Amino acid sequence: MTDAPDGKPKPADQWQHRVFRALVVARDGSVRGWRWWARNWDRLVAALQDEAPVGSAAAPSPSDPLVEQRDAPRLIAVPARGYVYSFYIRATFAWSSPATMRAEVLSWYVQYYQPNAIQRLTRLAADAARDLPPHRAGDLEVALQQALAGDPVWHYQRGDVVVTCRPDAAVRLDERIMPALQPHVDRLIKLEYQFDEQIRKARYAEQLSRQWVAILSDDADDQDVAEAREHMLTAQREAARWITDLLHRHAQNPPEPPIAPPIPPQQTHPTPTRSPSLDAE
């Protein structure tokens, strides 16, 4: 290679040098690219097939199906009877897939299908809440749980891939109705406590009456003792009958809390009174 009189390479020599460097760079890039393809070919094929990579360096595939739990992004609101107040539902969905599916693929399917699951749960809740007054959140939750128990697993399919969903729901009251309900709930709590107190007193009186009957039975020959014993037995039977009737009425017709307008108030059961036979004791 000769240089020009001014010390610079001739144009022909410069062109040959550039071509030689380009060939060297292309050769090195081809070698590196081939090595990369050789190392990652199996992994790339497995990723395209939604399967775990196979080979000596691959991790063992899981034996159990993948499960991903997702909450609804916001509370689901469905109108109560009258369409003035609403019930609010906190929904949770447990998504699962075959064991061969990777976690990121399942997350994609969950993101794709969860709006459909939320819409389906909203329709079920709206059908159950349409005829319920707004203070019956517990009844709505029971009805919704029964509806979900009849169809506990929802299936979603795209091509050959099937993912399943198990929904769960909890119902909350409308915050606007809580101030109206609180005085009536407090009153019901007080009535329940008074009722339990009266039941405890009646049972204690019945137990005491039985003890006196047992004591008087040891001296039944005396006429006065016999009359007292008969009186105790009569009072005991009346007390037992009163307690049984009271518990039966309470179990069949539990008191319901009245609510403020626009829903008419509901009647509550009066506080039970003691039997005259017990007062005589």
Side-chain angles (χ1 to χ4, degrees):
M1 181 182 297
T2 59
D3 296 335
D6 56 357
K8 297 181 179 180
K10 294 181 179 181
D13 294 337
Q14 291 180 355
W15 181 82
Q16 292 177 357
H17 181 67
R18 290 175 181 175
V19 170
F20 178 75
R21 291 183 58 187
L23 291 175
V24 171
V25 171
R27 183 199 62 185
D28 294 341
S30 299
V31 172
R32 288 193 299 268
W34 173 255
R35 290 175 180 174
W36 185 88
W37 280 107
R39 289 194 308 266
N40 298 280
W41 176 256
D42 292 339
R43 187 177 303 172
L44 180 62
V45 171
L48 294 176
Q49 294 177 350
D50 288 339
E51 296 179 354
V54 296
S56 58
S61 57
S63 57
D64 298 329
L66 294 174
V67 177
E68 181 172 338
Q69 184 166 320
R70 289 279 187 96
D71 294 333
R74 61 186 62 87
L75 296 177
I76 301 174
V78 292
R81 187 176 67 187
Y83 289 81
V84 176
Y85 297 101
S86 299
F87 296 107
Y88 292 91
I89 301 168
R90 184 181 300 276
T92 302
F93 304 91
W95 296 88
S96 60
S97 67
T100 56
M101 183 179 293
R102 294 180 294 113
E104 54 269 25
V105 178
L106 175 61
S107 297
W108 185 89
Y109 280 109
V110 171
Q111 190 73 19
Y112 183 81
Y113 285 122
Q114 180 141 325
N116 296 338
I118 293 176
Q119 184 178 9
R120 182 174 178 179
L121 182 62
T122 303
R123 288 198 301 267
L124 288 175
D127 292 341
R130 188 173 294 112
D131 297 327
L132 288 176
H135 66 285
R136 297 289 187 86
D139 294 343
L140 175 59
E141 184 167 330
V142 171
L144 193 56
Q145 292 294 343
Q146 290 177 350
L148 294 178
D151 187 13
V153 181
W154 298 349
H155 296 82
Y156 296 90
Q157 182 173 1
R158 185 178 185 183
D160 296 334
V161 179
V162 178
V163 294
T164 59
C165 171
R166 287 183 174 271
D168 189 24
V171 183
R172 294 176 53 184
L173 280 174
D174 193 327
E175 293 183 356
R176 297 173 298 171
I177 202 173
M178 290 183 181
L181 284 178
Q182 185 173 356
H184 306 290
V185 173
D186 293 341
R187 181 170 176 267
L188 282 178
I189 293 175
K190 183 178 180 180
L191 291 176
E192 288 287 341
Y193 176 77
Q194 292 175 352
F195 176 81
D196 292 339
E197 185 180 11
Q198 291 181 358
I199 291 295
R200 287 194 299 269
K201 289 181 179 179
R203 288 175 176 171
Y204 176 75
E206 182 184 5
Q207 182 181 4
L208 186 62
S209 176
R210 289 181 179 180
Q211 293 177 355
W212 276 109
V213 169
I215 294 173
L216 294 176
S217 298
D218 297 337
D219 197 7
D221 295 337
D222 191 309
Q223 182 64 27
D224 294 336
V225 174
E227 292 178 358
R229 178 177 177 275
E230 185 64 27
H231 177 73
M232 294 290 291
L233 288 174
T234 302
Q236 178 182 342
R237 286 191 294 268
E238 292 178 357
R241 187 184 309 111
W242 179 79
I243 293 174
T244 303
D245 293 343
L246 188 63
L247 291 175
H248 180 73
R249 290 198 305 269
H250 184 73
Q252 293 295 327
N253 300 309
E256 299 292 343
I259 64 171
I263 300 173
Q266 301 180 7
Q267 296 182 355
T268 58
H269 292 286
T271 304
T273 58
R274 294 188 58 184
S275 173
S277 60
L278 293 180
D279 293 335
E281 294 298 326

